[in-house]
Amino acid sequence: MNSKSKKQVMFICQAGLIAALYCVLTIVSAYFGLASYEIQVRLSEALTVLPLFTPAAIPGLTVGCIVSNLLTGASPLDVVFGSIATLLGAVIAYFIGTGARKTESVILKILVPFPNVLTNALIIPWVLKLVYHIEGPVWYFMLTVGAGELIAGVVLGLPLLFMLDKHKKHIFKI
């Protein structure tokens, strides 16, 4: 197997593992009533720091979001728009991560989970209002979804990021 093929296999394996882990953590969150509606603290959102380390996190997080939303009984529109929010957040995080990798900037590393917080805080409230018809103002849902994303993505995600950063050369070989 040539070097290019090995890299492709590694990319697919990493994306698959990230998707599977995202699903498991979302299902655990759903078990505790934290995966859906206006108050969401999906443990899986801590994984949104992974684009710092590998581009495989982009499809991994997106597919993980699609599958976990399907498994937890989300509306088809929620599956689509929730996954778009995750995809956008992952892509932006990857580009921030590119700068962080080049400069080894701690500040840029700290910014990696924030695109997902922002995309979800802007998109998911509209899903809650227009798809699930949950009563309440959109701005309130932006606050609650954003707070949940901050807890999962930043409070849980940043310690994960710095722990993985110490071992990145052994874990994320591409």
Side-chain angles (χ1 to χ4, degrees):
M1 186 180 290
N2 65 30
S3 178
K4 184 177 179 181
S5 295
K6 286 181 183 179
K7 285 184 179 188
Q8 289 173 336
V9 169
M10 182 68 82
F11 182 92
I12 292 167
C13 289
Q14 286 179 347
L17 285 170
I18 291 167
L21 188 54
Y22 188 100
C23 287
V24 168
L25 292 172
T26 299
I27 290 168
V28 168
S29 301
Y31 178 78
F32 292 104
L34 297 173
S36 302
Y37 303 110
E38 64 269 27
I39 299 178
Q40 303 180 20
V41 183
R42 287 186 174 192
L43 299 173
S44 50
E45 296 297 295
L47 301 177
T48 61
V49 300
L50 295 178
L52 172 65
F53 304 107
T54 175
I58 297 169
L61 293 169
T62 304
V63 169
C65 184
I66 292 167
V67 173
S68 63
N69 280 349
L70 290 170
L71 291 174
T72 57
S75 156
L77 287 172
D78 189 0
V79 173
V80 170
F81 288 102
S83 302
I84 288 171
T86 297
L87 173 63
L88 290 172
V91 168
I92 297 166
Y94 177 75
F95 285 114
I96 292 171
T98 300
R101 286 187 301 278
K102 286 180 183 175
T103 63
E104 284 297 318
S105 168
V106 174
I107 292 171
L108 286 177
K109 288 177 184 178
I110 289 170
L111 293 177
V112 167
F114 285 96
N116 193 64
V117 173
L118 184 62
T119 58
N120 277 277
L122 292 175
I123 294 171
I124 300 306
W126 294 101
V127 172
L128 296 174
K129 187 75 169 173
L130 301 173
V131 175
Y132 294 110
H133 307 288
I134 297 176
E135 293 296 321
V138 171
W139 65 263
Y140 172 74
F141 299 147
M142 287 179 174
L143 290 176
T144 61
V145 170
E149 290 292 331
L150 281 171
I151 292 167
V154 178
V155 174
L156 299 177
L158 283 179
L160 175 64
L161 181 147
F162 287 109
M163 182 178 62
L164 292 172
D165 197 41
K166 291 179 185 177
H167 307 286
K168 65 186 171 201
K169 291 181 183 173
H170 301 292
I171 299 171
F172 300 102
K173 294 179 184 177
I174 289 189

